[in-house]
Amino acid sequence: MSRYISGLKGRMLLTVGFAIGPLLCATAYALLRIADHFAFAVIYILLLALFALSAIWLGVKLFVTRPLGELATTAERLCTGAPVSTEHFQTDAVEINTVATALNKMASALARISRAHKLLSETKRAVVNTTDELALLPEMCRLVVTQVGYRGSYIVYAGDDDKRLLRPMAHEGVVGGLTALKQILTDVSWAIGRGPVATTIRTGKPYVAQHLMTDPNFVPWREDAKRNGVASAVVFPIFVEHRVIGALAIYAVEPDAFETTELGLLAEAVHDLSFGIALLRAHAEQGRANATIERMANYDRLTNLPNHTLFEQHLHRALSEARSFDRVLASFIVDIHKLRDINDAFGFHHGDGVLKEVGKRISGLNTPGAFVARMRGDEFALVCRVADENDAERLALQILDALDVPFTIDGTQIDVNSTLGISLYPNHGTDGTQLMRHADVALHEAKKSSKRYAFYRREQDANSAQRLALVGDLRRALSANELELYYQPKIDILAGEVCGVEALVRWNHPRLGFLPPDKFIGLAETSGLIRPLTTWVIRTALRQSSIWQANGVDLPVAVNLSPYNLRDTHLVETIQACLRDADVDAATLELEITEGAVMEDPEGALDILNQLRQMGITLFIDDFGTGYSSLGYLKRLPVNAVKIDKSFVIDMADNHDSEVIVRTTISLGHELGLRVVAEGVENRTALDHLAALGCDVAQGYFIAKPLRADDLYAWLLSGHW
């Protein structure tokens, strides 16, 4: 630009020289003709030429080169992005003034584009650095005004309901129309609003108002805008997940303030803002989800107390502190009696209410530093510092007294009995697992001796090492296939024919000798071996049934399921695999479950039982009459038959109550369309009595003891029944 101006100066001087030269020559010639003295004329001509050239130079300097120089300086400042002033270009030269006006417009446009670029850059920085949506919104408005130089800015959100009422979220600077905006936004729905903001939210498109004083949609805010000195505005929609959630409005002092390139940059900045809001909301949602997952993993949903996982973590920390400061810790396990009776008599809603109230009462005890948790089902745990065993006993009595007060659930008074087991650190254990196990041992000892509470005593756990060793032996026995199945026949009383067998597991221990199921089934359940043990029994029984079928004996085989099996989400898949492996029909398998097993998790058990029933497997309720909720849940369970517990059948001849239970069970079963099986048939009298009562199936030593597979086959061939 400077080189161009310098060249222009030279050309202008040369042109002036050519224009003035002939005039000077003519003047000199005239003077020579009229002058009497030649030398004087020459001097005169030279002075005249010098004066003419000086005047020309001064005129060009003042009226041409000076404005052009300022023009060049301004252009160079524009190229560097520096601000310029229009006052530099005050001149009467029409051509130069035209160029100056154009440069002024270019300077203004470049300034606006520059500030839009700056807003875009600052927005990206704010989105990256801000961690909260409610902090991002005022920061965006602040950047628009203080960092970029617009007159004012505000952000509004639309409500999530059908009306979507507009709600101001943040603002900065002098905002034209904000006073009126606050007054009417909460009363005007976006669906009927015709202002720039409502229009933008309704249409999802930017609204540009280059002349606020003449914009028909800005009438309510026109006077307010005039007082605040704003003349133009632009409103951009804010999108989150393809939905308009609000709008950002920007106000400028001058009219026609928003040029096309500038609008594009501003729109990109608002797009970054929308992205930032969406990202922050996603992070917040993820945070809430993580918090929910963490709470579900660490807290009991019903009582809102910590669960066993969180309790174990706290116990670990408490033990660490106790070791460091030589403190005594007491660990309590509280068991609520007959919760199943409450569920059956009053419904699960009342049972849940009791559990909630138990948690509140234990938590509400004035025991500084106590940590209370719901461990499982009807068990709660508490750990706290105590001075000694007497202090722990005092707290135990406090807990029991609190639980002895009748519970009022929905206007119904319910009495609850409870038992406590107590263990102390360091006397009864030095780690969390040991301490809790010993408290559990004490709880069982209290129940066995009908006491309200008991402290752990080492003699109570004398056989723990033997039990632990037996678990290892059972695991090896399963791997080495050392277990054996015995089969006890069942007869159809009316037809007098064998109608099935029950598979019963036996273990001939190499050191301890023959062990009945009650000596190791409990170990299997508590050690996690019940699943592989049940799988082994089902697979072995079905394979034996397949062998019998190949030899012309087609009898269904029944297998007992543990309560733990009904918690196994893979039980159905395991049974399906066993059926495929043995290549037998599902009707070959019968499954026996106790009512207590069902009651531990009624809904979960019901789902699994329905799946098994749909497969075609026959289901029995075993030991019927000894549980808590027989009548209440029998009609809901998808079972085919009930088995009367042998204790009632054996007593039936001499005990009127037992006979009534047997007769009632048979009648009830038939009313519900179920077959009835009687266990414990020890003699002909019992069998005849059952036949007279209409019982369907009998099983017991009078018919046959449990037999090995080969012995059972021989017994069947003998035609005894």
Side-chain angles (χ1 to χ4, degrees):
M1 187 70 178
S2 298
R3 290 195 299 271
Y4 172 76
I5 296 298
S6 299
L8 182 60
K9 290 178 184 178
R11 289 193 294 273
M12 290 181 66
L13 291 174
L14 185 60
T15 301
V16 171
F18 279 118
I20 298 300
L23 178 60
L24 291 176
C25 290
T27 304
Y29 177 76
L31 290 173
L32 287 174
R33 292 291 302 262
I34 63 174
D36 293 333
H37 196 281
F38 179 77
F40 176 77
V42 171
I43 293 171
Y44 178 79
I45 291 170
L46 290 174
L47 289 174
L48 182 61
L50 181 61
F51 175 78
L53 289 173
S54 298
I56 292 169
W57 178 83
L58 183 60
V60 171
K61 181 72 175 177
L62 291 175
F63 301 109
V64 178
T65 60
R66 182 178 175 183
L68 289 175
E70 292 175 351
L71 197 62
T73 302
T74 299
E76 289 174 352
R77 295 187 69 191
L78 284 173
C79 291
T80 62
V84 298
S85 173
T86 59
E87 296 176 356
H88 294 159
F89 307 133
Q90 302 303 320
T91 174
D92 293 332
V94 176
E95 293 81 359
I96 295 176
N97 199 41
T98 301
V99 175
T101 301
L103 285 175
N104 279 333
K105 290 182 178 180
M106 183 170 66
S108 177
L110 286 176
R112 292 197 299 268
I113 293 173
S114 175
R115 67 188 183 186
H117 269 294
K118 188 173 183 181
L119 177 62
L120 181 59
S121 174
E122 294 292 338
T123 301
K124 294 181 185 297
R125 185 178 294 109
V127 166
V128 171
N129 295 330
T130 306
T131 58
D132 181 71
E133 180 179 348
L134 295 181
L136 177 61
L137 302 183
E139 176 64 11
M140 184 66 181
C141 291
R142 187 189 69 80
L143 292 174
V144 169
V145 177
T146 62
Q147 293 295 313
V148 185
Y150 291 104
R151 183 69 168 172
S153 174
Y154 67 83
I155 293 175
V156 299
Y157 276 180
D160 293 327
D161 56 6
D162 293 337
K163 292 185 177 181
R164 303 204 70 193
L165 298 181
L166 305 182
R167 178 164 46 103
M169 300 298 296
H171 73 278
E172 185 74 25
V174 178
V175 180
L178 185 60
T179 303
L181 178 77
K182 289 182 177 179
Q183 294 173 354
I184 70 171
L185 273 185
T186 55
D187 300 321
V188 178
S189 167
W190 72 277
I192 62 173
R194 290 295 181 267
V197 172
T199 300
T200 295
I201 293 176
R202 185 175 60 253
T203 63
K205 297 178 181 178
Y207 187 103
V208 182
Q210 300 285 21
H211 297 276
L212 294 178
M213 297 303 107
T214 60
D215 191 313
N217 292 328
F218 203 75
V219 173
W221 303 278
R222 189 173 292 169
E223 292 301 320
D224 198 28
K226 189 183 297 183
R227 285 194 301 272
N228 290 318
V230 293
S232 58
V234 61
V235 184
F236 292 97
I238 300 174
F239 284 90
V240 172
E241 295 181 353
H242 309 292
R243 182 173 182 267
V244 180
I245 66 163
L248 167 67
I250 300 175
Y251 285 88
V253 174
E254 67 275 16
D256 293 315
F258 300 99
E259 180 262 341
T260 304
T261 304
E262 179 184 8
L263 288 173
L265 293 170
L266 292 176
E268 189 175 348
V270 177
H271 179 271
D272 288 344
L273 172 66
S274 300
F275 175 78
I277 293 172
L279 192 62
L280 290 172
R281 289 188 175 186
H283 286 168
E285 185 65 29
Q286 183 64 40
R288 286 191 292 270
N290 290 339
T292 301
I293 292 171
E294 183 177 355
R295 182 162 188 85
M296 290 174 63
N298 293 301
Y299 286 85
D300 175 57
R301 180 182 57 83
L302 178 64
T303 63
N304 287 322
L305 289 175
N307 62 13
H308 66 91
T309 302
L310 197 57
F311 182 83
E312 289 168 1
Q313 295 173 8
H314 176 83
L315 181 58
H316 177 76
R317 291 192 296 268
L319 285 169
S320 179
E321 292 180 7
R323 293 187 196 99
S324 301
F325 298 99
D326 195 24
R327 294 170 177 168
V328 178
L329 280 183
S331 175
F332 302 84
I333 293 182
V334 185
D335 182 75
I336 309 302
H337 296 181
K338 297 186 178 179
L339 185 63
R340 293 170 187 162
D341 281 348
I342 296 171
N343 288 334
D344 185 44
F346 301 103
F348 277 95
H349 172 69
H350 287 75
D352 290 346
V354 167
L355 290 174
K356 290 179 184 178
E357 184 63 24
V358 167
K360 288 180 182 178
R361 292 189 185 185
I362 299 177
S363 301
L365 295 175
N366 187 19
T367 310
F371 191 88
V372 182
R374 183 188 178 195
M375 302 300 282
R376 64 188 70 82
D378 50 10
E379 284 188 0
F380 293 78
L382 181 147
V383 63
C384 66
R385 287 172 52 190
V386 293
D388 50 29
E389 185 170 312
N390 291 333
D391 194 21
E393 186 175 24
R394 179 192 57 78
L395 180 56
L397 291 172
Q398 223 180 333
I399 295 171
L400 291 169
D401 289 344
L403 298 180
D404 282 346
V405 178
F407 290 72
T408 302
I409 308 296
D410 289 347
T412 303
Q413 278 204 339
I414 300 173
D415 290 315
V416 170
N417 296 323
S418 53
T419 306
L420 273 124
I422 313 164
S423 63
L424 300 176
Y425 167 86
N427 294 346
H428 302 150
T430 56
D431 62 62
T433 302
Q434 195 177 44
L435 204 62
M436 292 307 297
R437 191 177 70 80
H438 288 170
D440 193 53
V441 170
L443 174 67
H444 285 289
E445 183 64 25
K447 286 183 176 180
K448 190 187 303 182
S449 57
S450 300
K451 296 178 181 178
R452 299 184 71 197
Y453 66 93
F455 282 90
Y456 171 76
R457 297 289 179 261
R458 296 190 187 279
E459 58 270 17
Q460 299 167 358
D461 203 25
N463 64 343
S464 59
Q466 181 181 347
R467 288 167 60 85
L468 191 62
L470 200 58
V471 169
D473 292 343
L474 180 59
R475 183 176 283 107
R476 286 189 294 273
L478 281 169
S479 301
N481 203 29
E482 294 177 358
L483 302 177
E484 186 177 5
L485 282 187
Y486 279 58
Y487 301 88
Q488 185 172 32
K490 295 184 289 186
I491 64 165
D492 185 308
I493 297 176
L494 182 63
E497 298 176 350
V498 179
C499 59
V501 295
E502 180 180 359
L504 302 167
V505 64
R506 299 290 186 264
W507 183 14
N508 192 7
H509 193 278
R511 179 170 50 85
L512 300 175
F514 187 81
L515 295 178
D518 59 356
K519 294 295 184 182
F520 60 88
I521 294 297
L523 284 177
E525 291 177 333
T526 56
S527 64
L529 292 176
I530 192 63
R531 180 180 177 184
L533 176 59
T534 302
T535 302
W536 180 88
V537 171
I538 294 174
R539 179 176 289 114
T540 304
L542 290 177
R543 286 176 177 173
Q544 183 60 57
S545 181
S546 178
I547 294 172
W548 287 334
Q549 289 179 20
N551 288 280
V553 177
D554 189 3
L555 290 176
V557 58
V559 174
N560 289 277
L561 291 183
S562 159
Y564 291 84
N565 293 131
L566 293 183
R567 302 177 199 166
D568 181 6
T569 56
H570 300 288
L571 176 65
V572 175
E573 298 173 12
T574 300
I575 292 175
Q576 289 173 335
C578 291
L579 289 168
R580 287 194 300 269
D581 180 53
D583 192 24
V584 295
D585 189 79
T588 303
L589 180 63
E590 297 176 342
L591 295 174
E592 299 184 3
I593 54 174
T594 64
E595 49 190 324
V598 176
M599 292 308 301
E600 288 199 9
D601 180 15
E603 298 305 321
L606 191 62
D607 179 57
I608 291 177
L609 294 177
N610 278 320
Q611 294 183 59
L612 295 172
R613 177 68 181 272
Q614 289 170 7
M615 289 170 56
I617 294 173
T618 301
L619 301 177
F620 290 75
I621 289 289
D622 197 11
D623 300 336
F624 186 79
T626 61
Y628 299 102
S629 305
S630 307
L631 301 180
Y633 275 86
L634 185 59
K635 60 184 179 181
R636 291 185 55 192
L637 297 176
V639 296
N640 305 86
V642 294
K643 296 185 73 174
I644 305 173
D645 186 67
K646 63 183 179 181
S647 61
F648 302 116
V649 176
I650 293 173
D651 253 4
M652 182 174 54
D654 303 320
N655 188 309
H656 176 69
D657 291 338
S658 294
E659 197 271 342
V660 170
I661 291 174
V662 172
R663 185 173 65 250
T664 304
T665 302
I666 294 172
S667 176
L668 173 66
H670 290 164
E671 286 291 332
L672 295 174
L674 304 176
R675 286 172 65 79
V676 180
V677 181
E679 296 181 296
V681 179
E682 305 288 337
N683 49 58
R684 167 62 68 176
T685 302
L687 182 62
D688 291 342
H689 196 169
L690 290 169
L693 293 174
C695 187
D696 301 294
V697 178
Q699 176 182 351
Y701 275 27
F702 175 70
I703 298 163
K705 294 180 179 180
L707 302 168
R708 286 188 171 91
D710 293 341
D711 294 338
L712 176 67
Y713 184 68
W715 182 85
L716 291 170
L717 292 180
S718 70
H720 183 71
W721 284 94

